[in-house]
Amino acid sequence: MNKSNLSNITVLFGGTGDLAKRKIFPALYHLQKGGDLPQGFALVAVGRRQKNHQQYREYIYSFMEKEADFTIDKEAWEALSQRIYYLPFHFDDPAGYERLKEFLAVLENIYQTQGNRIYYLAVAPEYFGLIVQQLKVHDMDRKENSWRRVVIEKPFGKDLNSARKLNQIITEVFEEKNIYRIDHYLGKEMLQNIMVIRFTNAFFEPIWNSQYIDNIQISSSEQLGVGTRGEYYDQSGALRDMIQNHMMQLLTLTAMEPPIRLDNQSIRDEKIRVLRSLEELSQKTVFENIVRGQYSAGRIDGKPVKGYREEEGVNPASTTETFVAMKMAVENYRWVGVPFYIRTGKRMPVKSTEIVVEFKRPPEVLYFKEYKNLQPNLLVIGIQPKEGAFLRFNAKKPGTIKEIIPVEMDYCQNCQVEQNSPEAYERLIYDVMRGESTLFTRWDEVEYSWKIVDNIERAWRRKAEEILLYPAGERGPQGAMELLQRDNRKWWNILGG
């Protein structure tokens, strides 16, 4: 691609926040180091702290030098830092937007960006609508023969109604094609690889259906607790924080039909068809098929950690869930009868995200009749921290004794340093610059996933049940194990140990 088409000024609202320091600037640094940033590029950070351009550059560098897990190439940083600017003002200050407008006009002459802009809202959700409306009021939302794009971080609303109101505000200013709703999971390399594994291998796609697959498990676990996010998380919980976005994206990519083309519209169309096909849970099935838990005091890596209700900002009597396990059904021809088991939780033994496809066992004749406890075939796709895929199958153990054991064919994508895949934000920011929206969430995906979550929330409100506690460092409450045991199945903990 001609990099001149990527030329733009990125306006980063929330320039002194954690997201900017921990994710966005490291991603821009790697793009600079890799030669992927266009010559016509500059960034204007907006924040409330009083700093000048040089103080802000030093502030970002100091943080990255201390916190980054890579050694900073000073030449690459210097080349990037000279294109970073800072403008202090409060997001509700109209005069600040006027100063921003004037400053952007000056920079566009210097960097020859043809008026292209990215507005990146790395701010709390309550500011999304305010900032977008101010951009329109001050005539910064569009320009003829230029593109203007807005990037919005999750959470996109706190329920269906708030998401719809927010979407209405934003779409009154920006067209849907210029709205980029970030779910950083979609930037992970192996997530993008799911479709490649399925659709480019003749031995997978023909058996990717209910005739050959027994069940699919999607698990995402975190060792960390809520940290400093206690007040926010207590209003959200695992259902809204993880299921509504990350886990639904993993589900749609695993269950979708082959798209007619590899363009963003076709791929997103197939994802939305999966969401439309999900079984609607009744009040009864919510309590039969969903388990919610909350971590209590326990130990992680041998060190004691406090329970959720003792975390800063959390109500001492909170019933907010930090763990969810659920059984879902995709009601279409391909997946009839195949349960999708989903679980996510905080304060788990390890950090991992993986998809496990468990294939059906052959008829119990021959080896299955003679040898007991033969393991089913598994395809495991690792999203993090180990990226890759492996296939587990049965083979004879070497030696004179007749014994069958499970063996593995393993592909690890990031086991060697030189093969490390790019950070999710690196890929996603570059995609915004080039106008590629495949890895971003379309409005109807957001809407359907909120419908599912709201339905579950309503059932929980109608019939309050005591939340199940699990000690930090364990894999969730016993009810999550029983969810599969009653179907004569079990959770697989493969890449997560």
Side-chain angles (χ1 to χ4, degrees):
M1 172 180 284
N2 182 355
K3 285 195 175 68
S4 65
N5 298 330
L6 279 61
S7 295
N8 74 90
I9 293 179
T10 295
V11 182
L12 176 59
F13 290 93
T16 57
D18 255 18
L19 178 62
K21 294 183 293 186
R22 294 184 183 277
K23 297 295 184 181
I24 297 172
F25 278 108
L28 290 170
Y29 162 80
H30 286 298
L31 288 171
Q32 172 69 43
K33 193 170 184 293
D36 292 318
L37 280 184
Q39 287 297 315
F41 170 81
L43 181 140
V44 179
V46 176
R48 289 175 288 189
R49 299 182 188 181
Q50 289 297 320
K51 297 179 184 293
N52 60 33
H53 303 320
Q54 189 57 33
Q55 287 172 335
Y56 181 73
R57 294 163 184 166
E58 291 170 357
Y59 168 75
I60 295 297
Y61 178 82
S62 176
F63 182 89
M64 286 176 53
E65 188 178 40
K66 181 181 177 182
E67 300 290 338
D69 57 359
F70 55 86
T71 302
I72 299 175
D73 181 316
K74 291 190 176 181
E75 185 178 341
W77 169 254
E78 184 64 21
L80 173 63
S81 69
Q82 294 306 307
R83 300 197 266 176
I84 296 172
Y85 302 87
Y86 183 74
L87 202 60
F89 66 86
H90 287 258
F91 304 140
D92 58 356
D93 177 15
Y97 291 91
E98 278 301 315
R99 294 199 305 274
L100 175 63
K101 182 178 180 178
E102 293 170 3
F103 188 51
L104 291 176
V106 172
L107 292 181
E108 283 170 346
N109 284 330
I110 295 173
Y111 290 96
Q112 296 295 303
T113 60
Q114 290 80 50
N116 299 332
R117 293 180 195 169
I118 295 171
Y119 298 109
Y120 199 126
L121 309 190
V123 298
E126 58 262 30
Y127 293 113
F128 291 167
L130 170 65
I131 293 172
V132 166
Q133 287 174 325
Q134 285 294 323
L135 291 174
K136 182 176 179 62
V137 167
H138 295 276
D139 197 28
M140 290 190 281
D141 57 318
R142 62 190 66 206
K143 181 183 178 182
E144 193 173 349
N145 300 321
S146 303
W147 50 259
R148 303 279 167 96
R149 297 166 184 154
V150 62
V151 181
I152 302 169
E153 286 279 343
K154 81 173 187 76
F156 195 87
K158 59 182 180 180
D159 54 23
L160 181 59
N161 285 336
S162 63
R164 281 175 170 164
K165 289 176 183 176
L166 177 57
N167 191 64
Q168 182 178 355
I169 291 171
I170 295 173
T171 52
E172 285 175 355
V173 181
F174 293 93
E175 295 180 75
E176 175 66 30
K177 68 178 182 179
N178 291 322
I179 301 171
Y180 290 73
R181 302 174 189 86
I182 274 195
D183 182 339
H184 71 270
Y185 262 46
L186 291 178
K188 294 184 181 295
E189 193 69 24
M190 277 307 299
L191 213 68
Q192 302 162 44
N193 218 341
I194 293 173
M195 289 196 300
V196 176
I197 289 171
R198 279 188 58 187
F199 301 137
T200 66
N201 293 293
F203 51 86
F204 279 140
E205 182 55 25
I207 61 172
W208 207 265
N209 54 56
S210 60
Q211 186 176 351
Y212 296 98
I213 292 176
D214 179 81
N215 72 88
I216 292 177
Q217 300 178 18
I218 304 173
S219 300
S220 182
S221 61
E222 298 178 70
Q223 275 192 316
L224 297 175
V226 295
T228 59
R229 300 169 66 230
E231 188 173 351
Y232 157 75
Y233 195 90
D234 211 33
Q235 302 299 316
S236 172
L239 186 69
R240 294 176 181 176
D241 190 53
M242 288 292 292
I243 299 292
Q244 185 270 332
N245 39 72
H246 301 331
M247 305 306 283
M248 285 298 169
Q249 291 296 329
L250 289 169
L251 171 63
T252 56
L253 285 169
T254 306
M256 64 185 279
E257 296 294 320
I260 56 173
R261 286 182 297 274
L262 290 177
D263 61 90
N264 59 57
Q265 190 74 17
S266 300
I267 292 171
R268 291 153 116 189
D269 284 347
E270 295 305 333
K271 288 165 64 183
I272 197 66
R273 287 192 180 99
V274 175
L275 293 175
R276 287 173 175 162
S277 300
L278 288 175
E279 174 192 16
E280 185 171 344
L281 297 170
S282 65
Q283 177 86 11
K284 179 183 178 183
T285 52
V286 163
F287 289 96
E288 287 178 348
N289 295 338
I290 301 177
V291 175
R292 54 200 292 257
Q294 183 188 95
Y295 67 82
S296 56
R299 302 183 77 85
I300 298 288
D301 291 337
K303 299 177 182 178
V305 296
K306 54 190 172 184
Y308 175 73
R309 292 172 184 173
E310 288 79 54
E311 299 278 19
E312 181 183 349
V314 173
N315 183 342
S318 174
T319 58
T320 298
E321 77 285 351
T322 63
F323 175 95
V324 175
M326 56 197 305
K327 175 183 176 182
M328 304 191 78
V330 179
E331 297 184 319
N332 61 22
Y333 189 81
R334 180 184 290 265
W335 296 115
V336 60
V338 177
F340 284 75
Y341 299 108
I342 296 172
R343 63 175 170 171
T344 181
K346 288 187 173 295
R347 288 299 190 201
M348 300 282 103
V350 294
K351 176 182 178 179
S352 71
T353 302
E354 63 188 34
I355 299 168
V356 180
V357 180
E358 179 180 337
F359 293 93
K360 289 184 176 179
R361 299 168 186 259
E364 295 196 2
V365 295
L366 297 176
Y367 291 104
F368 270 80
K369 184 177 182 180
E370 185 173 346
Y371 297 90
K372 304 299 180 185
N373 301 317
L374 289 184
Q375 296 294 306
N377 301 142
L378 302 176
L379 172 66
V380 183
I381 300 172
I383 310 298
Q384 66 174 3
K386 181 180 178 182
E387 299 174 358
F390 80 80
L391 187 65
R392 174 181 286 183
F393 58 97
N394 295 304
K396 181 184 176 296
K397 184 178 181 179
T400 57
I401 299 176
K402 290 184 178 180
E403 184 177 353
I404 293 177
I405 58 171
V407 297
E408 298 165 0
M409 296 176 65
D410 193 356
Y411 160 61
C412 180
Q413 181 168 270
N414 64 339
C415 288
Q416 297 177 354
V417 174
E418 63 269 20
Q419 292 179 339
N420 273 351
S421 54
E423 282 289 325
Y425 276 90
E426 187 180 335
R427 170 66 186 269
L428 294 172
I429 290 172
Y430 189 67
D431 277 359
V432 177
M433 291 184 186
R434 63 196 189 101
E436 173 54 65
S437 58
T438 303
L439 301 181
F440 296 82
T441 311
R442 200 169 66 188
W443 162 244
D444 50 2
E445 294 178 68
V446 175
E447 186 176 34
Y448 268 91
S449 58
W450 270 126
K451 284 179 181 178
I452 295 163
V453 165
D454 277 11
N455 186 39
I456 297 169
E457 288 273 13
R458 278 194 298 272
W460 285 350
R461 287 195 298 269
R462 289 193 197 108
K463 182 184 176 185
E465 287 194 347
E466 186 176 357
I467 196 162
L468 302 176
L469 299 180
Y470 62 96
E474 295 194 3
R475 297 190 182 278
Q478 180 59 30
M481 314 305 156
E482 295 169 357
L483 182 65
L484 272 71
Q485 287 170 0
R486 73 178 188 222
D487 294 339
N488 294 316
R489 297 184 175 101
K490 67 174 185 177
W491 289 107
W492 294 100
N493 303 303
I494 306 297
L495 303 181

